[in-house]
Amino acid sequence: DAGVTQSPTHLIKTRGQHVTLRCSPISGHKSVSWYQQVLGQGPQFIFQYYEKEERGRGNFPDRFSARQFPNYSSELNVNALLLGDSALYLCASSLLGAGDTQYFGPGTRLTVL
Amino acid sequence: QKEVEQDPGPLSVPEGAIVSLNCTYSNSAFQYFMWYRQYSRKGPELLMYTYSSGNKEDGRFTAQVDKSSKYISLFIRDSQPSDSATYLCAMRVNYGGATNKLIFGTGTLLAVQP
């Protein structure tokens, strides 16, 4: 079975631009979470969606937004990019919304110049 | 103070050694404890999952949780060069069915020398 997939693999943007990252969860999983991992740090929670509703939001500015589609795939959008947004963006899927094991995708590496 | 503290390493050991990786935490509400392994430029892979205090063993890996000391450990026996990776501890509270947000440590970089 396919695991969590993310696209694109790598992305280079300039300050002020907008970016959209995509995630497809494991088949049958209904929850998707997004994490930001800055080099040398552990992942930090950004959002969780379950059954297309937001279930959690981390301490990130309003420039970050996300949504989940009827097929349970998800998009993370970041507006007005800053240099500090350069990071590995990880998507994790789980069967249910809470109390369930999360499986991570390979991530999208975003570089902001 | 961070909720979860983890020594970033790097930790270098010879092949066959026993490796001990540790995390401390400050939030007494954490009930679920995980260890993830992350190879360079890849996503984290779940290794061990423990609820509350106690030990759990899976092959060469043993996870220990001591809630009274707010301290968790991962032991790797007979370490192999293929174990070379960053090891991340992660924790979460029981949010009562709301969210499954994980709090991660910074990760410890392990190098097993052949």
Side-chain angles (χ1 to χ4, degrees):
Chain A
D1 287 341
V4 178
T5 59
Q6 293 186 243
S7 64
T9 305
H10 298 91
L11 204 52
I12 299 175
K13 292 285 188 178
T14 57
R15 281 177 296 175
Q17 285 190 311
H18 163 271
V19 68
T20 297
L21 310 180
R22 295 178 175 84
C23 171
S24 291
I26 293 170
S27 177
H29 284 196
K30 298 181 178 181
S31 179
V32 168
S33 297
W34 288 95
Y35 290 81
Q36 181 197 64
Q37 187 177 23
V38 174
L39 193 62
Q41 300 294 319
Q44 275 200 293
F45 176 78
I46 308 175
F47 286 110
Q48 184 198 355
Y49 278 78
Y50 176 63
E51 290 282 16
K52 301 178 287 296
E53 292 189 359
E54 184 182 300
R55 283 295 187 92
R57 174 185 285 256
N59 189 23
F60 280 81
D62 291 344
R63 299 184 295 107
F64 289 77
S65 63
R67 55 179 175 168
Q68 186 177 33
F69 299 100
N71 66 353
Y72 301 110
S73 67
S74 177
E75 281 183 355
L76 175 69
N77 294 282
V78 187
N79 292 324
L81 285 168
L82 303 174
L83 296 179
D85 295 331
S86 296
L88 181 67
Y89 287 85
L90 295 161
C91 173
S93 82
S94 58
L95 190 61
L96 302 173
D100 204 18
T101 302
Q102 294 182 57
Y103 299 90
F104 284 83
T108 294
R109 184 160 298 280
L110 172 65
T111 301
V112 182
L113 302 177
Chain B
Q1 182 189 5
K2 290 184 179 180
E3 280 191 285
V4 180
E5 298 279 358
Q6 185 176 9
D7 187 338
L11 180 62
S12 181
V13 300
E15 183 175 354
I18 297 175
V19 176
S20 172
L21 303 166
N22 311 292
C23 288
T24 59
Y25 62 94
S26 57
N27 188 349
S28 58
F30 285 138
Q31 290 184 299
Y32 300 89
F33 304 90
M34 286 136 278
W35 286 95
Y36 283 85
R37 177 174 62 194
Q38 186 174 28
Y39 291 111
S40 181
R41 297 186 175 271
K42 302 291 185 182
E45 169 196 9
L46 181 66
L47 280 177
M48 302 288 284
Y49 183 107
T50 309
Y51 170 70
S52 194
S53 285
N55 294 358
K56 186 173 184 179
E57 187 172 323
D58 184 2
R60 296 186 295 112
F61 299 91
T62 299
Q64 288 185 350
V65 175
D66 182 349
K67 291 192 71 180
S68 63
S69 301
K70 298 190 181 66
Y71 189 87
I72 71 170
S73 301
L74 177 70
F75 297 95
I76 307 174
R77 291 182 298 280
D78 187 25
S79 56
Q80 302 295 311
S82 59
D83 294 327
S84 298
T86 295
Y87 289 80
L88 295 154
C89 63
M91 311 177 187
R92 66 175 180 85
V93 303
N94 181 3
Y95 292 104
T99 181
N100 59 0
K101 168 186 173 181
L102 295 177
I103 308 298
F104 282 87
T106 56
T108 298
L109 179 61
L110 171 67
V112 180
Q113 307 298 333

